[in-house]
Amino acid sequence: MVIAEKAASEIVEQARAYRIEHLKEARKMATEDINALQTRKNEELANIQKQGADQSELTKTIQADTGDKLAAITAQFEKNKQDAINKLVSAVTTAELD
């Protein structure tokens, strides 16, 4: 009877050790998965932030380019404004008799 109790006790102890080992292994794997997921999400966040920064730069570039083009158009208008007025007045005031 004592031998059977001792054998049963050993079996229970082995099962307990086996369960503890598997729990440690599962915890280790879960920690690795969490770290991998955290790393991946941090990289995604960095990419999103970089795209936002790139968009800001693109917006600034577009605004500067638009400002330059608008300034060129305004300068062209001011340059040709008086000539256009003179041609219009001349066309209106000059009568051709056929």
Side-chain angles (χ1 to χ4, degrees):
M1 182 91 150
V2 174
I3 297 173
E5 285 179 7
K6 201 173 196 180
S9 176
E10 281 183 27
I11 291 172
V12 169
E13 187 60 35
Q14 286 176 352
R16 186 175 292 139
Y18 178 78
R19 187 183 68 201
I20 290 172
E21 186 63 34
H22 279 289
L23 285 173
K24 285 180 182 179
E25 187 176 316
R27 181 175 290 147
K28 179 182 174 186
M29 290 175 61
T31 301
E32 289 173 358
D33 288 345
I34 289 170
N35 289 338
L37 178 64
Q38 186 175 17
T39 301
R40 191 176 81 230
K41 290 298 179 180
N42 285 340
E43 289 173 357
E44 289 176 12
L45 178 62
N47 286 337
I48 290 170
Q49 289 173 339
K50 182 180 179 224
Q51 288 174 352
D54 290 345
Q55 258 184 345
S56 294
E57 290 296 321
L58 182 60
T59 302
K60 288 177 185 177
T61 303
I62 290 171
Q63 287 176 340
D65 190 35
T66 302
D68 292 344
K69 288 180 181 179
L70 186 58
I73 290 170
T74 303
Q76 189 73 19
F77 169 76
E78 290 298 326
K79 177 182 169 190
N80 294 327
K81 177 172 65 171
Q82 192 58 46
D83 190 35
I85 291 171
N86 291 341
K87 286 182 180 180
L88 183 61
V89 169
S90 175
V92 171
T93 58
T94 305
E96 293 183 18
L97 298 173
D98 288 331

